[in-house]
Amino acid sequence: AQSVTQLDSHVSVSEGTPVLLRCNYSSSYSPSLFWYVQHPNKGLQLLLKYTSAATLVKGINGFEAEFKKSETSFHLTKPSAHMSDAAEYFCVVSPQGNQGGKLIFGQGTELSVKP
Amino acid sequence: KAGVTQTPRYLIKTRGQQVTLSCSPISGHRSVSWYQQTPGQGLQFLFEYFSETQRNKGNFPGRFSGRQFSNSRSEMNVSTLELGDSALYLCASNPGDGNTIYFGEGSWLTVV
């Protein structure tokens, strides 16, 4: 079965410093992986997705993630945090052969950004 | 292009009642899926509809049901509400290939 594990439930950074949100996946094949962000009382917004093309994926708002098969990781990074980045972030895997809307979510990482 | 629209945004129901939530997908999207989000269980997949047929189903009791209409709009229904059904219910749509999935802002259900 496919699954994702987000290694930190909460990350706190200062504005202007780098962000690293860690995610490991479990899958017997090359999965489709996503990062979504959820601001308070809002729905989910897609940040970026990996679908077996380039291993370094660039997303919106300066975020990027690198797919590392040898480490089964898909960590999310941003060079410089902004106050508006404070939100909850979800690492997500799409099951093999999924043609539709079934996604498996990690437990989420809450990102706090200090001034 | 309008996004995924969910109604109502907030509602309060009493134990034992039933509730119906509505979702209008992005124009042209034929797949609608539903998720439940709670602090304890996180985000869990309920079911997915594609061209009016249920294509995937999560591990929820039969009290949770859904349907999709010919215009791709979808509804989900929860019968005999329990306190534990209090959650944010999110709807998502995609063209049908699962490549990019867009979420609505959700319906907040409180069961008292």
Side-chain angles (χ1 to χ4, degrees), chain B residues 16-27:
Chain B
Q17 287 186 315
Q18 72 164 7
V19 67
T20 299
L21 309 178
S22 179
C23 173
S24 293
I26 291 172
S27 178

Side-chain angles (χ1 to χ4, degrees), chain B residues 39-96:
Chain B
Q41 299 299 316
L43 275 149
Q44 295 184 288
F45 172 77
L46 280 156
F47 32 66
E48 181 215 0
Y49 286 85
F50 178 78
S51 294
E52 302 179 63
T53 301
Q54 188 178 84
R55 183 159 71 172
N56 281 300
K57 188 177 188 302
N59 297 322
F60 278 80
R63 300 186 297 108
F64 292 81
S65 62
R67 60 178 175 168
Q68 186 179 33
F69 302 95
S70 58
N71 61 358
S72 293
R73 189 177 70 85
S74 176
E75 290 180 345
M76 69 162 283
N77 183 276
V78 188
S79 62
T80 320
L81 284 165
E82 302 175 359
L83 295 179
D85 297 332
S86 295
L88 175 64
Y89 290 88
L90 290 161
C91 169
S93 79
N94 77 86

Side-chain angles (χ1 to χ4, degrees), chain A residues 9-23:
Chain A
S9 59
H10 185 259
V11 169
S12 182
V13 301
S14 297
E15 192 174 21
T17 64
V19 175
L20 170 64
L21 305 183
R22 300 182 294 164
C23 172

